[in-house]
Amino acid sequence: MKVLNFINGEWKESSSKQFAPVINPATGDAIGEVTVSIEADVGAAVKAAKAAQKKWALVPAPKRAEVLYKVGYLLKERKEQLARMLTMEMGKVIEEARGEVQEGIDMAFYMAGEGRRLFGDTTPSELKDKFAMSVRAPVGVVGIITPWNFPIAIATWKSFPAIVAGNAVVWKPALETPFMAQELAKIFEEAGLPKGVFNVVNGDGPTTGNALVEHPDVRVISFTGSNEVGRKIAEKCGRSLKKVSLEMGGKNAVIVMDDADLSLAVEGILWSAFGTSGQRCTACSRIIAHENIKKELENRLLEAMRTLTIGNGLDENVKVGPVINEKALQKIDRYVQIGKEEGAKLLTGGYILQEGEYNKGYYYAPTLFTDVMPNMRIAREEIFGPVASIIPVKSLEEAIEVNNSVDYGLSSSIFTRDVNKVFTAMRDLDTGIVYVNAGTTGAEIHLPFGGTKGTGNGHRDSGVAALDVFTEWKSIYIDFSGKLQRAQIDIDE
Ligand code: NAD
């Protein structure tokens, strides 16, 4: 498959004439190629978006929403086809790929509903015969930059609220996963979205992504990806006073107290730590275990990990797929070596799988360390692979302190049967998402999604909170007294 840009409703090759291969991480095979854009292509997309946005903003929001309903139905109709394509370009197992497409479907219907809400406030004026209200206004052209690990869901979290609110979008997907971008653009086209409201410009970060960040007509950047890149983008947006929403990495923990249902905790950890081969921003990479159950938990986890079938995600029996590419494999392996050098005890895994069917793809053995200290690098830095570390603690207070001691603040979880511990954890865990008696993954689209501290910059994807990124508040005062009334001054009349 040859993937082109989608600009002003037309499929176009980049003016660079360059293409990059699309690799199936399960097999190492090239399964397509994608056009690699330069600044001029970004410029053309932003120009089209700017012109289209002016008209789109004047379409009544419930009518804008009708397009999203159609998008939702088309996603639903094509769920299986999209999921298979997603597994081929990104590697996650088919069951999870279906779940990811489902997130897009849910988001389409949820945000379509916003077309008949987009609530502002009406509120009394402090003066007589005066009316006051606030309304949401679109920002204009929205630049979206996304990672490869959720190639369609994240784009829907961002573009659907942006579009229903009356903005136009220019999306730069990750170069590794252009198929989903192409399919979403086709769906928008079929759903009847006017030309130029949704555009896709494929390319790399430093050239294509950067051109979008630096374009003066892009008024908001919504980015999901690594901290390193997010920080650079925020600096650039800061200089031009551009609104920027950042969703970045995580170092998420599951806390297991000594009164927990251990079977449930093991299931939750297995799913959160090794699902998507650990390549989720919410993946559990720390297991903070009460010392009374640490040994038992280790044994149960080791037993459970033996049931993890590793392989090509298109096989329904496979539980853990490949990681995205060779670079990721090497990064994960480097962290495992660091862990060993730091004195952590390797319980299982810790190597690249190379024999037989693993020879051509990018597979890492699910890995478990124990006796990890909170200050070790493997307990603080994002590895983004199937590697989890058990950190022993003596109390809930210590567990919470360890959880909160990292730079990131995305997701945390606690397994306990004690209601007092539950409420203490809900209050004191400093992450944007907290789970009780479930792993660290599994966000639902109608709640805000995002993190505190180094994970974000205070904005949220998903839920109504997403609309805050893509709208400006406009406060409107209507004076029907027929005379000049001065707020804060004419208060005694
Ligand atoms: P990345 O930061 O390398 O790339 C993300 C996107 O930014 C890509 O499209 C890339 O091309 C682009 N980019 C790179 N350099 C750029 C630049 N200088 N200017 C503009 N754009 C640039 O991240 P990745 O490896 O694709 O994804 C993995 C990371 O994403 C992990 O850290 C993970 O935790 C994070 N993530 C976070 C969330 C969340 O919601 N918090 C969700 C998924 C993934």
Side-chain angles (χ1 to χ4, degrees):
M1 187 153 40
K2 199 169 184 173
V3 181
L4 303 179
N5 290 334
F6 185 66
I7 299 175
N8 208 19
E10 286 173 24
W11 295 95
K12 286 188 176 155
E13 194 178 313
S14 156
S15 35
S16 76
K17 307 286 173 210
Q18 301 287 312
F19 279 83
V22 182
I23 307 292
N24 180 344
T27 61
D29 295 332
I31 50 173
E33 51 180 2
V34 51
T35 196
V36 181
S37 307
I38 52 175
E39 211 179 322
D41 306 304
V42 173
V46 174
K47 191 173 167 201
K50 193 177 173 186
Q53 193 268 331
K54 287 201 171 66
K55 293 186 198 143
W56 183 240
L58 299 179
V59 174
K63 290 274 170 217
R64 297 199 294 255
E66 281 173 20
V67 176
L68 278 190
Y69 280 118
K70 284 188 197 144
V71 166
Y73 284 116
L74 287 167
L75 283 168
K76 206 169 166 183
E77 211 175 280
R78 295 183 198 165
K79 181 172 170 180
E80 186 60 25
Q81 175 204 338
L82 290 170
R84 296 188 80 76
M85 214 184 262
L86 199 167
T87 292
M88 286 175 71
E89 70 172 347
M90 185 274 160
K92 68 176 62 172
V93 300
I94 187 72
E95 185 185 31
E96 291 183 36
R98 290 183 190 118
E100 177 171 346
V101 178
Q102 187 60 43
E103 272 191 54
I105 298 167
D106 295 340
M107 188 54 98
F109 293 129
Y110 177 65
M111 278 299 157
E114 275 306 315
R116 286 192 181 269
R117 289 186 293 266
L118 283 176
F119 292 138
D121 294 316
T122 57
T123 184
S125 163
E126 66 187 45
L127 292 165
K128 270 197 256 170
D129 297 333
K130 194 174 172 189
F131 186 84
M133 65 183 164
S134 61
V135 297
R136 287 187 185 273
V139 186
V141 178
V142 166
I144 292 177
I145 301 176
T146 54
W148 47 263
N149 69 331
F150 277 83
I152 193 161
I154 293 178
T156 69
W157 295 356
K158 295 178 187 298
S159 64
F160 293 177
I163 284 173
V164 81
N167 301 282
V169 166
V170 179
W171 174 25
K172 194 213 82 65
L175 201 53
E176 292 86 347
T177 51
F179 291 174
M180 286 301 103
Q182 172 181 268
E183 295 309 304
L184 189 58
K186 278 190 202 162
I187 284 176
F188 269 124
E189 197 179 14
E190 283 177 51
L193 188 73
K195 288 182 195 325
V197 177
F198 182 80
N199 306 272
V200 179
V201 187
N202 292 286
D204 68 8
T207 305
T208 319
N210 188 53
L212 195 56
V213 170
E214 294 203 329
H215 199 296
D217 288 336
V218 175
R219 291 312 310 151
V220 52
I221 291 286
S222 177
F223 167 84
T224 296
S226 63
N227 284 59
E228 192 193 349
V229 173
R231 212 173 276 271
K232 277 191 212 157
I233 291 178
E235 282 169 13
K236 289 203 170 137
C237 290
R239 266 182 246 134
S240 57
L241 297 181
K242 194 170 287 191
K243 191 172 182 184
V244 59
S245 162
L246 306 171
E247 293 298 342
M248 302 177 286
K251 192 69 193 173
N252 315 292
V254 167
I255 297 172
V256 187
M257 296 312 297
D258 54 358
D259 63 354
D261 175 341
L262 284 190
S263 308
L264 187 62
V266 165
E267 272 188 69
I269 293 167
L270 218 61
W271 174 236
S272 309
F274 305 113
T276 328
S277 308
Q279 303 169 111
R280 280 183 185 232
C281 51
T282 52
C284 158
S285 60
R286 297 184 294 155
I287 302 156
I288 303 175
H290 195 284
E291 59 181 7
N292 294 347
I293 47 86
K294 190 198 83 157
K295 191 74 209 157
E296 170 82 12
L297 186 67
E298 281 172 11
N299 291 340
R300 288 195 190 210
L301 272 172
L302 282 174
E303 196 185 321
M305 284 173 73
R306 278 194 278 276
T307 67
L308 291 173
T309 36
I310 304 158
N312 189 327
L314 286 178
D315 179 342
E316 302 274 353
N317 298 316
V318 163
K319 294 280 177 253
V320 180
V323 298
I324 188 73
N325 53 28
E326 180 65 30
K327 198 172 149 206
L329 263 189
Q330 295 304 331
K331 178 183 168 194
I332 296 162
D333 202 47
R334 222 169 29 250
Y335 268 108
V336 168
Q337 302 320 317
I338 290 170
K340 287 195 228 164
E341 284 159 22
E342 285 178 314
K345 188 170 155 199
L346 182 64
L347 287 178
T348 186
Y351 53 91
I352 296 170
L353 290 161
Q354 280 163 326
E355 302 295 315
E357 63 161 315
Y358 303 129
N359 185 258
K360 282 173 70 202
Y362 310 112
Y363 296 94
Y364 205 87
T367 299
L368 186 63
F369 279 108
T370 192
D371 296 337
V372 173
M373 295 294 116
N375 60 351
M376 290 180 180
R377 284 183 65 191
I378 56 164
R380 309 191 70 77
E381 296 173 20
E382 189 182 47
I383 301 174
F384 225 53
V387 180
S389 297
I390 298 178
I391 305 172
V393 291
K394 293 184 169 56
S395 65
L396 177 65
E397 290 66 35
E398 189 185 350
I400 290 172
E401 198 182 313
V402 169
N403 178 81
N404 295 354
S405 68
V406 293
D407 292 338
Y408 297 103
L410 186 50
S411 182
S412 54
S413 125
I414 181 163
F415 283 85
T416 176
R417 291 176 165 119
D418 180 337
V419 69
N420 295 347
K421 291 195 176 83
V422 168
F423 275 83
T424 305
M426 279 161 52
R427 186 191 60 200
D428 294 344
L429 292 171
D430 70 357
T431 49
I433 306 168
V434 173
Y435 292 91
V436 176
N437 292 328
T440 51
T441 60
E444 300 181 30
I445 61 98
H446 51 301
L447 277 78
F449 181 91
T452 61
K453 302 191 292 186
T455 294
N457 65 340
H459 294 285
R460 292 290 184 270
D461 277 341
S462 279
V464 180
L467 292 172
D468 293 336
V469 176
F470 303 113
T471 55
E472 297 276 11
W473 281 113
K474 189 180 281 186
S475 297
I476 302 173
Y477 303 95
I478 304 143
D479 193 315
F480 55 99
S481 70
K483 59 183 180 190
L484 176 68
Q485 300 193 87
R486 296 171 303 169
Q488 293 101 39
I489 296 172
D490 298 334
I491 47 177
D492 296 330
E493 286 177 28

